[in-house]
Amino acid sequence: MISSDSKPNNTDFQISPIEWVHAYWVSRCIYVVAKLGIADLLKDGSQHCDILAAATNTHSDSLYRVLRALASIGIFAETQTRCFELTPLADCLQSNVPDSIRAMAIFRGEEHYYKSWGNLMYCLETGKSAFEDLYGMDLFEYNEQNSSRGEIFDQAMTSSKDSYTEHLEAYDFSSINKLIDVGGGKGSFLAAVLEANPTMIGVLFDQAEVINRAKDSQEIASVISRCQLVGGSFFEALPQGGDAYVLKHIIQDWDDERSLAILQRCHQAMIEQGRVLVIDYVLPPANEFSGSKFIDINMLVMCPGGRIRTEAEFEDLFKSAGFKLTKIYPTQSDVSIIEGVKIDIN
């Protein structure tokens, strides 16, 4: 189970209830400055709002008011009247920096996402996805049909390689000969693992249109000689012969029935005594604080039956798919690596 030693409990927050009610104001301000690329415009130093407004085709005084509000909570700083610079909290809103969250801020703030959260009551009334109610399809079908949305989704789901250090420190990948990254997007995680393990070979597996985007990306270029790119559906069949199959933030997107189907495809494709590595959040108990409890609500709103699971729920799911849950490896972030070993289910 994830350790909560470094996390606050629910009595440690000093934010008043009314401030929590207004919290989405901050989120919307972050979204618009991310969308406009304000942090990128400040990378070389302080700029006046008139210059920023001209560069972004916005109204200078209105932009100033947004930046002034964000500066009051440490995101940007006003250095002189109507002049702003980056702060440590604003650095991550730049496009091409380690641990950038710009793409995530845009993705979370776009119309289809923000509107879906506005439909949260529908989830409580029906137990179904608010996104599907609004758009008549699930998020993944939507991204497939809207290429620009699919691209920003890819960017939002792709962290810098520096952020994978915590995974490599938490789990020993060195004994794996052939690693299959199921639903691996553009391959940044697989590339990081392959770079750290020079004798390993890998397979990047995702939907055909995602694989097509991966072929033109830089994420996998450094290890392409040891990596095969395969398109398909993880509900149907997976590349054969891997001794480990990794599912990074995949199981959380689906209900138990479809999660079980994905794990069963892994079981069928892997070698005897193969491993499945689920990289996901693990819910802590009762009143213990964890951001994963709100990510769980995001799964309810946005995904087709998605949910964040407890250790016991993972254990049951693994058992049903033919795996023994052997260990949960916490990382320095909020996610863990949940390891399962293939067992004979006959």
Side-chain angles (χ1 to χ4, degrees):
M1 188 64 69
I2 293 178
S3 170
S4 60
D5 292 345
S6 62
K7 297 183 176 68
N9 63 48
N10 63 344
T11 63
D12 287 333
F13 292 105
Q14 300 302 314
I15 298 176
S16 69
I18 193 63
E19 288 175 303
W20 280 122
V21 169
H22 295 155
Y24 76 96
W25 294 357
V26 177
S27 174
R28 296 308 290 167
C29 288
I30 293 172
Y31 162 69
V32 295
V33 298
K35 182 78 171 180
L36 293 170
I38 296 297
D40 288 338
L41 295 173
L42 296 176
K43 65 181 180 180
D44 295 323
S46 178
Q47 295 281 358
H48 193 282
C49 261
D50 288 349
I51 296 175
L52 296 173
T56 57
N57 195 30
T58 55
H59 183 253
S60 180
D61 186 58
S62 299
L63 178 60
Y64 168 68
R65 292 161 70 178
V66 169
L67 291 175
R68 177 177 62 184
L70 288 174
S72 74
I73 58 172
I75 303 175
F76 305 108
E78 189 169 4
T79 55
Q80 301 177 44
T81 303
R82 294 179 178 266
C83 293
F84 290 88
E85 68 179 5
L86 293 174
T87 60
L89 287 179
D91 284 341
C92 61
L93 293 174
Q94 296 177 80
S95 299
N96 297 307
V97 296
D99 300 323
S100 170
I101 65 163
R102 185 189 176 206
M104 183 64 77
I106 295 172
F107 174 63
R108 299 295 194 207
E110 293 286 53
E111 168 69 11
H112 70 292
Y113 207 104
Y114 186 65
K115 192 174 180 180
S116 296
W117 264 88
N119 198 31
L120 176 59
M121 189 64 75
Y122 172 82
C123 301
L124 272 63
E125 292 171 344
T126 67
K128 298 179 181 179
S129 163
F131 184 95
E132 290 188 66
D133 176 54
L134 290 171
Y135 295 98
M137 65 186 80
D138 67 42
L139 174 63
F140 308 105
E141 293 170 322
Y142 181 89
N143 288 339
E144 183 177 348
Q145 294 183 24
N146 297 270
S147 59
S148 62
R149 301 294 193 188
E151 180 63 27
I152 194 66
F153 178 83
D154 286 350
Q155 294 174 17
M157 297 301 112
T158 300
S159 302
S160 68
K161 291 183 180 180
D162 288 344
S163 70
Y164 297 133
T165 301
E166 63 205 29
H167 301 84
L168 297 170
E169 290 176 347
Y171 189 84
D172 183 6
F173 290 87
S174 64
S175 63
I176 298 171
N177 296 311
K178 184 177 182 180
L179 179 65
I180 317 295
D181 191 351
V182 181
K186 290 186 176 181
S188 58
F189 175 73
L190 180 59
V193 178
L194 290 178
E195 286 178 355
N197 297 275
T199 63
M200 184 188 296
I201 61 173
V203 179
L204 179 64
F205 182 86
D206 212 312
Q207 297 178 79
E209 64 276 7
V210 178
I211 292 297
N212 287 335
R213 292 197 290 268
K215 290 176 181 177
D216 299 325
S217 71
Q218 294 301 311
E219 278 87 347
I220 204 73
S222 63
V223 293
I224 196 64
S225 63
R226 292 188 285 128
C227 183
Q228 182 182 7
L229 278 59
V230 179
S233 168
F234 49 46
F235 292 118
E236 296 173 3
L238 295 177
Q240 297 286 313
D243 48 329
Y245 288 67
V246 64
L247 297 157
K248 185 173 184 290
H249 296 313
I250 301 298
I251 297 300
Q252 67 180 31
D253 292 339
W254 304 96
D255 58 24
D256 285 351
E257 181 181 356
R258 284 176 282 193
S259 294
L260 178 59
I262 297 168
L263 289 169
Q264 287 173 331
R265 299 295 88 75
C266 292
H267 189 280
Q268 292 164 359
M270 69 176 52
I271 65 171
E272 293 303 316
Q273 298 299 309
R275 283 173 278 174
V276 64
L277 303 173
V278 173
I279 303 178
D280 251 326
Y281 304 92
V282 180
L283 282 176
N287 297 318
E288 185 176 315
F289 169 77
S290 173
S292 62
K293 293 181 179 179
F294 289 92
I295 295 171
D296 180 53
I297 306 305
N298 187 57
M299 297 299 105
L300 174 65
V301 169
M302 294 298 297
C303 294
R307 64 189 307 122
I308 305 302
R309 293 173 171 86
T310 64
E311 180 176 346
E313 288 170 331
F314 272 117
E315 190 168 11
D316 289 344
L317 194 59
F318 275 30
K319 183 177 180 180
S320 297
F323 295 99
K324 176 180 174 58
L325 197 162
T326 51
K327 188 172 181 179
I328 295 181
Y329 296 82
T331 72
Q332 292 299 311
S333 72
D334 289 336
V335 301
S336 293
I337 302 175
I338 305 110
E339 180 190 65
V341 174
K342 182 177 181 179
I343 58 176
D344 188 358
I345 56 176
N346 295 322

